[in-house]
Every structure is written in structure tokens, then in C-alpha cells.
Amino acid sequence: MKIALLWPLAALLVSGAARCATPDNASLLFCARAALFAESFTEGTDANKSRQESITGAVAVLNLTFKEKVDDETLKLLFPWIALAEKLPGYKPYTKGSYVAVSCMAALGQAVYVPLQQDEVLPQVRNFLDGCEAKGSREAVGQCIKSGFMALPLAKLSK
């Protein structure tokens, strides 16, 4: 795996928020791990590795990047973010990583999500990501996704 693909937020969180035990920081840390996992998984599938090889590689990247190692329970929590990334084929690893991070924070922080299971929503998300990818750089793509995510069709999580 290329270290250049590591999502910049992950490095910040490892050194700062990872040491804090507040719920907000725990959410940030989890979402940073999910984003890096999606990026690494996508890098593997883009290199024509099998799904299992891509998952194994993504776990290895997380284990190198974060102090807390990925156990079976954590891996179960990361699988839904793989499914989300798989619904959006063709995007650069960091585009999907940014989308996963923002989706994760919205779900954990505001109890909202983009209902990708609805047929009319997926094309809207694709158009949104196409527009963000046209911005070019990793940072520009991430900012575009962060600033435009709430304009996507959202559903409220039931409590």
C-alpha cells in the first residue's frame, strides 16, 4: 500500500484526538479509520486484487497507522463502509475515503445518512462526486464533499 494514499485526517487524529476519550473524538477517530479503510480497500480493488485481499491490505494499513489494532469486532463495524464504497465504483480512493468520512460523521453526529438503497438517490450521489472530483486535488475534493454533503437527499436514522 502506498503511504501517499493515507488520508491526511488520519495522521492528525493519531497524534491528537486518539489520546482523548471524549465521544466526539472517538467518533472522529472511528470515522478517520473508516475513511482510511475505504481508501485502502479501493486501492486494492483498483489494483485487481480480490475482495478478501483488499480487505486484508486495508486492515494492514490501519494496523500500521493507528495504535489500536483492528480486531474482529472492529472489522464488523468497518464492513458497511466497504459496502458503501463498492456502491460507488470508479472513483479515486481518496474521493471515496472523503465520502465515507463525511457520511460517517453525519451518521454518528447528526443521525442522518444518504439512503443509497433508493434508486433515485445513487445517480444524485454520483453526480455530486463527479462534480467534486472535477475539483482536482485531494484537498479540494475533500472540501467539496464536506461542504456539499448536507445538500444530498438525507434520511434520519431511527432511534
Side-chain angles (χ1 to χ4, degrees):
M1 297 284 160
K2 296 176 187 170
I3 297 299
L5 266 184
L6 298 179
W7 199 52
L9 180 58
L12 291 173
L13 291 171
V14 170
S15 61
R19 289 186 235 129
C20 303
T22 66
D24 286 344
N25 285 337
S27 295
L28 281 170
L29 181 60
F30 174 76
C31 291
R33 289 175 83 191
L36 182 57
F37 191 72
E39 282 193 12
S40 299
F41 174 81
T42 300
E43 183 186 45
T45 58
D46 285 353
N48 294 320
K49 292 184 180 174
S50 71
R51 189 175 199 272
Q52 188 56 50
E53 288 172 320
S54 297
I55 290 169
T56 301
V59 168
V61 169
L62 289 184
N63 285 341
L64 286 173
T65 307
F66 294 92
K67 282 192 338 186
E68 185 181 340
K69 302 302 177 204
V70 177
D71 58 16
D72 288 340
E73 290 304 309
T74 303
L75 190 57
K76 288 177 190 174
L77 294 174
L78 294 171
F79 278 145
W81 303 108
I82 287 178
L84 187 151
E86 287 177 324
K87 278 194 167 265
L88 303 167
Y91 292 98
K92 295 176 184 173
Y94 60 79
T95 300
K96 283 194 255 193
S98 294
Y99 186 79
V100 165
V102 172
S103 298
C104 180
M105 287 305 296
L108 294 178
Q110 299 172 34
V112 296
Y113 67 99
V114 178
L116 292 175
Q117 72 277 11
Q118 296 175 6
D119 291 338
E120 68 277 4
V121 173
L122 197 54
Q124 293 176 51
V125 173
R126 289 184 191 282
N127 287 337
F128 169 65
L129 293 179
D130 288 345
C132 288
E133 271 204 359
K135 305 283 184 196
S137 73
R138 171 189 296 265
E139 292 77 17
V141 168
Q143 285 302 316
C144 177
I145 292 171
K146 184 177 179 182
S147 64
F149 181 82
M150 295 308 280
L152 290 171
L154 300 173
K156 192 85 171 148
L157 288 168
S158 58
K159 294 191 180 199

